[in-house]
Amino acid sequence: MRTGENVSAVFYTTFESPVGLLLLAGDSDALRLVSFESSKHAPPLCADWKEDKAPFTEVIRQLRAYFCGELREFDLPLALEGTEFQRRVWNALREIPYGATISYLQLAERIGNPKAVRAVGLANGSNPIPIIVPCHRVIGSDGSLTGFGGGISTKKKLLELESKQLSLL
């Protein structure tokens, strides 16, 4: 995440979710990071970040509603920083409907590059805003649950939450 003189202050807070403690970070304009405490790839807090829950009131409200099964689509300003390819993958993730899953191959096809399955997997794994940008909805072609920054058990819980809520309709 960018920091420096030309960038607005970065704020952070934590949110205790049903899938563990989440680190939320962003600036006054947009959410930039959701990180699982349990992730081995969790970024360290930067010395110039400021702890403040206030900028995340709406993020936390929507996360709570999601975990209660009352929200299916997040409506938050996001700052997705990455390569053009990564941003294409992350934007395609946002098009996967609540409760649905697709394979890495299907995701590669959706971005118009069916031979880029491995690159799509790497971009998916680099998603800085999981849950809200639903990388957990991408599974192996054989239906298996494959890599997830929050761990396979967290991915399973998120998919079960969404399928359980759909079955109540």
Side-chain angles (χ1 to χ4, degrees):
M1 184 179 323
R2 297 178 301 136
T3 57
E5 291 177 26
N6 298 328
V7 178
S8 61
V10 175
F11 301 100
Y12 76 93
T13 193
T14 56
F15 169 67
E16 187 61 54
S17 80
V19 293
L21 192 65
L22 301 175
L23 170 68
L24 309 175
D27 57 29
S28 57
D29 297 323
L31 181 66
R32 296 180 172 276
L33 177 75
V34 173
S35 179
F36 296 94
E37 178 186 48
S38 61
S39 174
K40 49 188 166 187
H41 304 293
L45 294 177
C46 293
D48 60 344
W49 289 10
K50 297 176 177 108
E51 186 170 10
D52 187 354
K53 198 172 207 113
F56 303 99
T57 303
E58 182 61 14
V59 175
I60 291 170
R61 186 194 71 74
Q62 289 191 34
L63 282 168
R64 281 190 178 125
Y66 168 80
F67 285 114
C68 288
E70 299 164 358
L71 181 90
R72 293 177 181 215
E73 261 184 61
F74 291 93
D75 183 18
L76 296 165
L78 305 178
L80 290 164
E81 293 179 8
T83 66
E84 181 183 331
F85 180 81
Q86 287 173 322
R87 288 191 313 269
R88 280 184 28 226
V89 171
W90 299 335
N91 285 327
L93 291 172
R94 296 174 76 188
E95 302 297 318
I96 304 170
Y98 180 93
T101 58
I102 65 170
S103 70
Y104 291 94
L105 174 59
Q106 289 169 314
L107 184 56
E109 290 169 346
R110 285 187 182 191
I111 65 162
N113 200 341
K115 293 184 179 180
V117 176
R118 286 179 190 248
V120 162
L122 289 172
N124 197 53
S126 299
N127 173 14
I129 309 178
I131 302 172
I132 294 166
V133 176
C135 53
H136 61 277
R137 296 179 187 155
V138 183
I139 60 175
S141 293
D142 62 358
S144 63
L145 301 186
T146 57
F148 184 65
I152 297 297
S153 65
T154 300
K155 184 173 190 164
K156 184 177 180 186
K157 285 179 189 173
L158 292 169
L159 293 172
E160 286 174 349
L161 168 92
E162 292 182 10
S163 67
K164 189 180 298 178
Q165 294 305 320
L166 282 178
S167 69
L168 295 176
L169 296 178

